[in-house]
Amino acid sequence: MNQRRYNPGSKWNDQSELKCLYIFKVLKEEGFPRGKQLKMCVDISEETGLSAGNLSAKVSNFKSVAGVNNPSNASENTKSIFAEYGHLSSSDLKREIARNDV
């Protein structure tokens, strides 16, 4: 995994970005069911230390980068993560996340 730069003091890192990309992939594979995005973000908020709202905004940025939503102000890190991992399925991403959680 390429190491990207994050603001000092930020709780964002490659792993939290990958978890948001995973949520995007699950949502896409399931046809974007209503209410599931926030529930999944709440589920990972404690482990990442990021609020569910921030995580949900990041998932929305992945939607934009993937062309599902209108363009957004997605970070260079988000664009880089999508370029590197966007071709993977949700199950492949889950394995990648588990590999890096060790």
Side-chain angles (χ1 to χ4, degrees):
M1 180 180 330
N2 295 331
Q3 191 59 32
R4 289 148 193 87
R5 292 179 188 235
Y6 295 90
N7 292 332
S10 166
K11 294 181 181 175
W12 285 104
N13 55 43
D14 283 0
Q15 194 69 344
S16 55
E17 292 258 1
L18 278 175
K19 289 177 181 183
C20 289
L21 178 58
Y22 168 76
I23 292 171
F24 162 72
K25 288 292 188 161
V26 169
L27 295 171
K28 183 177 179 190
E29 291 165 5
E30 295 181 2
F32 299 103
R34 183 175 279 281
K36 187 156 187 175
Q37 179 171 327
L38 185 57
K39 181 189 180 326
M40 291 183 78
C41 290
V42 167
D43 290 346
I44 68 163
S45 64
E46 194 170 306
E47 69 186 67
T48 62
L50 295 157
S51 74
N54 283 342
L55 293 162
S56 185
K58 182 66 71 174
V59 173
S60 293
N61 284 339
F62 278 114
K63 288 178 180 176
S64 295
V65 172
V68 174
N69 282 355
N70 291 329
S72 70
N73 60 343
S75 70
E76 290 305 314
N77 290 332
T78 299
K79 293 173 187 174
S80 175
I81 289 280
F82 188 81
E84 189 170 347
Y85 297 99
H87 67 283
L88 297 177
S89 67
S90 64
S91 56
D92 290 337
L93 277 168
K94 192 171 190 173
R95 281 190 288 279
E96 185 67 28
I97 290 165
R99 191 176 306 127
N100 293 315
D101 262 345
V102 199

